[in-house]
Amino acid sequence: MQPYGGVNTSLYPALDHELLPHLERAVISTEQGAYGEAQVIIDRNLSSANLVPVVVLARAELALKQFKVGLLYRIVNDALSQSVWNHDAPEYRLIRLIRAFALLSHKGDIRPALEEIDRAREWLRDVPVSEYTDIHVTFIRHYVILVMFTSASSDAIVEEASFIPKANLEPVAWQGLTDLRECLLQRGMLNEALALFKVERTRLPINERVEAVLSFINHVKTHTSLTQECSAWIHVELEIYLAQSLYERQEFEKGQFEFQKAEELLRRWCSMCNHQRIETLTPYSNIKLFQLRLFQYEDTVKYFDESVKLLEIMKDCCHTSTTVTYNHAAIAARALDESGIHEPYQAHFSRFHRERELYQITVQENVKNLLFDQLCLFTDNIGDASDIVKALEWLDAFLLQNKGFNLPSDLIRLHRWRRWAWKRLGDPKKEAYEAAQIEKLNSSGPPDAGAFVGVRETKIALPNISLSNHGPKLELEFPSDPQGGEFLRDWIDKIGDSEAIQLKAMQLLLQWIVADLKSGVIQEDEVCALLGFLDKSQDKSALTEKLERLTTEEVFARLYTQESDTGAVVEVDLWQTRFNILSSWLSRPLNSTHNSRQYLRAVLQNLRKSHVNSCKAPLSVQIAEIERYLSLIHEIPSPVHELLVMQAADLHGAIADRFWMYCVESTDFDSDEVGAALDKAEYKCQVSLKLHKEKGDTLDLHMRRRTAADICLLKIHWLLRRPGKSMLDSDLLELREAGLRFLEEAESYFNSNLQNSTLYNDLQGLEARDQVTLALNTWNFPQKAMGLLHAGDVEPDEERTTQMWNWVQRSKARSLAMTMGINGIIPSTLLREISVSDKCRGLYERMVSLQMQIESAEPQQRFWLRQELDSHMLEMRKEERLKEVCDIRDGEPLRLSDLDRISAIVESPLVLVDWFHVPGIMDDGSLLLLIARAGLAPIVTKLDITIEEVNNWVYSHLDSPFAQDRVQRGQGRMVTSNLSCLVQPLALHTKPDDVLVFCPTMKLHRLPLHSIEIQDSHDDSCGWLPLIYRNPVVYSHSHSLLRICMWNSQVAAEGRVPLNPFIMNGIYLRAGSTEYADGRQSVEKIASDFSTAPFLDDDATKLAFITSAPTSRLIHVHSHVHWDATDPLAHHIDFSPRSSATNTTTITSVPGEVTPEDVDGHQLTAREVFDLSLSKGSHVSLIACSGGVTQDNVRDEVMGLVPALLRSGASSTVSTLWKIPDWVGARFSEDFYRAFRAEEEKRKRQAGGAGNFIDIAQVFQKAVIERDADPEDNSHHHWTSFVMHGFWEFFVPGVEGGRPG
């Protein structure tokens, strides 16, 4: 090719003449796509002229072609800061404009862009296109690009921005671009005209673009001064623009033909110029990129192969669309992975996105596009809560690292996604915060990146829309009504806000009724019938005046409520009449707002559906309106149909719910009508399940599976009432199995959500999981499963009792078990077993390596590491020994095989005991006792007591004012005889001295189950004795915690960790006072027995506990504890309030660190204990009022000091269920540690002085019995209050350690 001439030739004189050929070569190479060659030329030959304006622009153009916006910013910013400029010179204004664009993409800063756009308008407002120089033209090209990108991120761009350049005639959006191009062609400035046309084309209406390209092609043909090579190259570029324009006009076959023609022309050009590598040319990459979209729908395998091939080309030349090609390759990989007929492609999907993200960060340095692509990734890749929390972590890091990011629309997208995410995770506070951020940003940015400023609108048919249902959709290509604006887009931010939807609908309804009444589109009688005006003889003007006085609230009331009673819903027949009028009117041919009106028609029926539901209209009416809405969705024309049809699955499910509710509320449950309703519920539920599965609605699919299980359970109960039916019948057994399958599938998914709903293993993680449990009602899966397994009250066989036991384990303290599991340390005994296998060892070491990488990585870099770790954990679960590690880490429910393993480790025979309440259908349900012993099938017994009777006992004996007074005074004995059925089956199914681990449920957490009297069936001579006399009893909030506590104990033993006793009396004893003297004396005696100094008075502070207790494995605190049932995390220990500076401490989120504060300085709350890190395998005796009480609820999730202590590393605790006197706590402590020391000495003798485990459960048993036998204490309330939690085997080393006295 001959010298190119460039587009900024007026700046050539400022450059040394001998450098001009190098500049020309660099410009040509940049234009062709030989970016590497252009960079070499600039570095080698033009480095001495780097700050000369024409070279600055060439360097900037090269960076822009590769979309290296970080480099672009540095080039122009250095030029502006290191040179002396004439601020009125066009080149200075141009470089400032380019810097503003770079800042928009590189930093996400919109302010410079807005400033430069205003400066440009001021500068060029009155300049005719005939006076534009080549620099003006380059400026306008970059100006248009800046306006396009800025208007996509904010609505701060005014329409006048599109009036630059000034049009020759009337001001029309971007008409000045066309006038300027034509002027340039007339002046023979073809290069400048072609460069301008590339941006002008994007501003033309779609239906004008083809003709504009053809016109330009014809002009080039008449341009005789061009060489053959130049002419051929320009024809290639224009042919590509023609093909693109045809595609945009949806003439796909013609477009494909023109793309093929463009490729043929490009090959001719290569042959003409002897260019050997066509794939290095930008036009070739552009052609292949467009052709990829055809493969996407025709051949997925070819789509993948071609994407990968093109990606390599794009990366080599740093093409502008490299990230777009990464996304194509990822989409193809996902499609192949989901097809299930090819090798797994998920790894490719992750790799492409990971490389794309790295490319955007390190090569392009484009934070704007990075955020957009990541949000698209998060939207399309949501599987469970794990994906959500990892995405939230990335977004948090993004905002932290890009504090100057202020693009309104991009931030709205981000906050919309976060709002959806927090809603999905069940955190209403954070969801509300995100909604407030969106509301604030809406004043400075549009709801979405919409049509760019000033593009003349053209009505285009909307293609089929494939919507992802895994997350909130970021972009919807809504049609524009030429006169009505982008109406559908206005509804986006109102999704989920019923009041906003209602207000918008009523505003539009009223606006259009008035306008159409005036124009004759709707008649007076139709309006009167629609809105319930009784006087139907009103003329048009009077009716219009009346309408204009109506408020939106009045319009809603007239449309949806009875004329005689504004609180009653319109009857079905009357609404049918009104809806027919609405449908007829809104479907009348008005091209200006047709799609908008069809959408409003659907919204109005949806409001009717919601209204009858909120007014609790009869279920038949609710069902009728849902069915009407379903019918409307299927009959409404495109494109509105495509937007609404996604709701069909939910609507069928809603009908199933109504039929199910009808059956539950029926006063004649045995009737045939109920049976028919159950059949309809089952059918609608199956339709809903099918549609959810087809759409990939994972969350909704599993929620609907729970409904399906409900229907199965209800059908079983209905069938059992038929004469001669029993649970042995095949149809009922099939229903049971179907219901259990639904629950298994759904519970597995929701369990994964619960486990992965947070990245934290502290209180924050526990609360997050608890919120998910509440939001998704995951706690009721075991209840429903137990309902299915217990239905018919038939004696269960071993298979069914095992199923029942497994389901019960899934119901107890899951959030706490998961949180503790993540924080657990693996004992070396298990590590040695893992190390035996090379494969297991390698997998385990890789897990540790990934965990370390995540811990050390920056937050924004953790997303893919966490993805890799999740995939790796799935591989680990395939190995049995590693599965145990994964189970602990994930807090998986205890299995019977785990019970076998624990039983083989512990010394005493072990029996696990559970209580579980199965809700009834037509009654109060059943309370079951489950007993499990190693090597045997669990035993399930129905107890002859209801949960309501238990609740009444708790109130009468513990919670009523009279009972609280008796407990506090220690008067009389608790009457537990009517509770004996809760534990009496243990006399038959366990042996004396078995260690019984109790896992209560609901209000049973409040009961002193160990003190209830039973009669031992193994010894008829024994009378009725408290259970604790017969068996050591340990309490556990979940049997899964037992496994974790056991591991903590083993870790202490393997490390031979000394006791280093921490003995504290947290009650300040004033001089001369005898109140609380017993507790002080017991603390002094216990400390003396362990040869350590106690913490007393001014030393007994919160700070002392925080700093010293974590180094001890034997912690004893005698103090006050306060319990507030409304805030279990405020459950706290009180320390001596006398001290000031040493008592003003709260725990920070970083374990082991403390910072002075002036609030609640003498109170250590459960909330703070969760953030402590105690020595693994430690024992804590908390001798205080109500130290062991926990929140009880139907979810069996617990909160309080004891769960907090176990989470912090303790393996066992001793505490109390209610208030006790100081002297009782003192005597129990002395009894407990006397038994402790005796057991310790016995074990040491047996081990020849070496360290060994002592049985805390037996120690506790002896201490409690000692208290009951104390002749000076005849109060039953005192000794029954003490309880032990955790694991009973406590390691005591052979050589004591202590705090010197």
Side-chain angles (χ1 to χ4, degrees), residues 1070-1231:
R1070 293 174 175 81
S1073 174
T1074 59
E1075 188 179 16
Y1076 303 119
D1078 294 299
R1080 181 190 183 95
Q1081 291 170 8
S1082 72
V1083 164
E1084 291 173 334
K1085 183 178 186 308
I1086 294 165
S1088 175
D1089 288 345
F1090 283 99
S1091 302
T1092 190
F1095 289 83
L1096 305 171
D1097 298 332
D1098 286 345
D1099 290 335
T1101 65
K1102 177 179 178 179
L1103 179 59
F1105 185 92
I1106 293 170
T1107 55
S1108 299
T1111 64
S1112 169
R1113 280 209 312 110
L1114 184 63
I1115 302 169
H1116 176 87
V1117 176
H1118 189 112
S1119 190
H1120 294 302
V1121 165
H1122 295 277
W1123 166 258
D1124 180 358
T1126 63
D1127 185 6
L1129 285 171
H1131 195 196
H1132 64 267
I1133 307 170
D1134 260 341
F1135 295 96
S1136 301
R1138 166 175 169 141
S1139 300
S1140 55
T1142 53
N1143 272 328
T1144 56
T1145 306
T1146 58
I1147 301 176
T1148 67
S1149 60
V1150 182
E1153 295 184 9
V1154 292
T1155 55
E1157 301 286 348
D1158 293 320
V1159 180
D1160 294 334
H1162 59 280
Q1163 297 177 353
L1164 181 66
T1165 66
R1167 185 174 283 105
E1168 294 172 302
V1169 172
F1170 268 103
D1171 285 329
L1172 278 177
S1173 182
L1174 300 178
S1175 180
K1176 297 297 182 186
S1178 57
H1179 169 80
V1180 180
S1181 291
L1182 184 55
I1183 308 303
C1185 298
S1186 306
V1189 69
T1190 58
Q1191 178 190 41
D1192 57 85
N1193 53 51
V1194 71
R1195 295 177 289 112
D1196 274 336
E1197 287 291 352
V1198 292
M1199 291 285 189
L1201 279 168
V1202 168
L1205 288 166
L1206 294 175
R1207 152 62 185 77
S1208 296
S1211 60
S1212 60
T1213 67
V1214 169
S1215 51
T1216 62
L1217 290 175
W1218 49 77
K1219 294 181 179 181
I1220 57 168
D1222 180 66
W1223 66 268
V1224 171
R1227 293 191 185 182
F1228 171 83
S1229 299
E1230 293 173 12
D1231 293 338

Side-chain angles (χ1 to χ4, degrees), residues 972-996:
R973 296 182 65 84
M974 281 189 175
V975 180
T976 59
S977 57
N978 52 343
L979 297 179
S980 62
C981 61
L982 287 172
V983 295
Q984 185 56 44
L986 296 174
L988 178 63
H989 299 295
T990 67
K991 300 174 183 178
D993 297 327
D994 285 345
V995 174
L996 306 182

Side-chain angles (χ1 to χ4, degrees), residues 624-850:
E625 296 308 334
I626 300 172
E627 292 280 17
R628 194 194 314 278
Y629 188 46
L630 259 174
S631 299
L632 173 63
I633 286 175
H634 290 300
E635 72 182 40
I636 207 163
S638 295
V640 179
H641 168 77
E642 281 76 13
L643 298 172
L644 299 178
V645 72
M646 68 182 77
Q647 301 177 26
D650 290 326
L651 293 171
H652 284 287
I655 295 172
D657 291 339
R658 267 54 176 198
F659 279 120
W660 180 84
M661 185 60 66
Y662 167 81
C663 300
V664 171
E665 295 178 352
S666 174
T667 56
D668 186 12
F669 184 73
D670 296 352
S671 66
D672 292 338
E673 288 78 5
V674 168
L678 282 171
D679 289 338
K680 292 176 182 176
E682 184 178 24
Y683 169 73
K684 284 293 183 180
C685 188
Q686 292 295 337
V687 173
S688 179
L689 284 169
K690 179 176 180 292
L691 292 175
H692 280 308
K693 192 169 185 179
E694 289 174 354
K695 288 166 54 189
D697 295 339
T698 311
L699 174 63
D700 293 329
L701 173 66
H702 291 298
M703 294 287 276
R704 191 52 57 194
R705 281 175 171 156
R706 177 165 55 188
T707 305
D710 282 333
I711 295 169
C712 290
L713 179 58
L714 208 58
K715 287 194 79 169
I716 287 173
H717 281 273
W718 185 82
L719 288 169
L720 284 172
R721 293 169 179 258
R722 306 288 94 186
K725 299 294 290 184
S726 80
M727 278 308 301
L728 300 178
D729 294 346
S730 59
D731 54 343
L732 274 76
L733 290 175
E734 288 175 6
L735 278 171
R736 170 191 284 168
E737 292 307 311
L740 290 173
R741 279 196 305 274
F742 287 130
L743 290 173
E744 284 284 358
E745 292 168 339
E747 200 273 344
S748 176
Y749 170 79
F750 285 116
N751 179 58
S752 176
N753 268 271
L754 187 61
Q755 165 63 33
N756 297 305
S757 58
T758 177
L759 301 173
Y760 301 100
N761 60 357
D762 54 9
L763 178 60
Q764 184 177 350
L766 179 61
E767 290 184 306
R769 292 187 178 94
D770 199 40
Q771 286 169 344
V772 171
T773 302
L774 276 172
L776 301 179
N777 290 334
T778 56
W779 51 270
N780 64 15
F781 282 98
Q783 288 186 341
K784 297 177 186 300
M786 291 294 284
L788 287 164
L789 291 165
H790 185 61
D793 207 16
V794 177
E795 187 70 24
D797 56 21
E798 290 188 359
E799 180 182 357
R800 190 146 59 96
T801 58
T802 300
Q803 284 180 291
M804 296 172 86
W805 191 85
N806 287 333
W807 273 106
V808 168
Q809 302 318 302
R810 305 183 201 189
S811 71
K812 308 286 187 73
R814 294 305 313 282
S815 298
L816 180 62
M818 289 175 177
T819 305
M820 288 177 63
I822 294 174
N823 198 45
I825 296 177
I826 301 175
S828 58
T829 52
L830 183 55
L831 289 178
R832 286 193 293 271
E833 295 178 22
I834 292 171
S835 299
V836 171
S837 164
D838 290 341
K839 182 178 182 180
C840 289
R841 184 175 65 254
L843 288 169
Y844 177 79
E845 289 173 352
R846 179 58 181 158
M847 178 196 75
V848 173
S849 173
L850 285 170

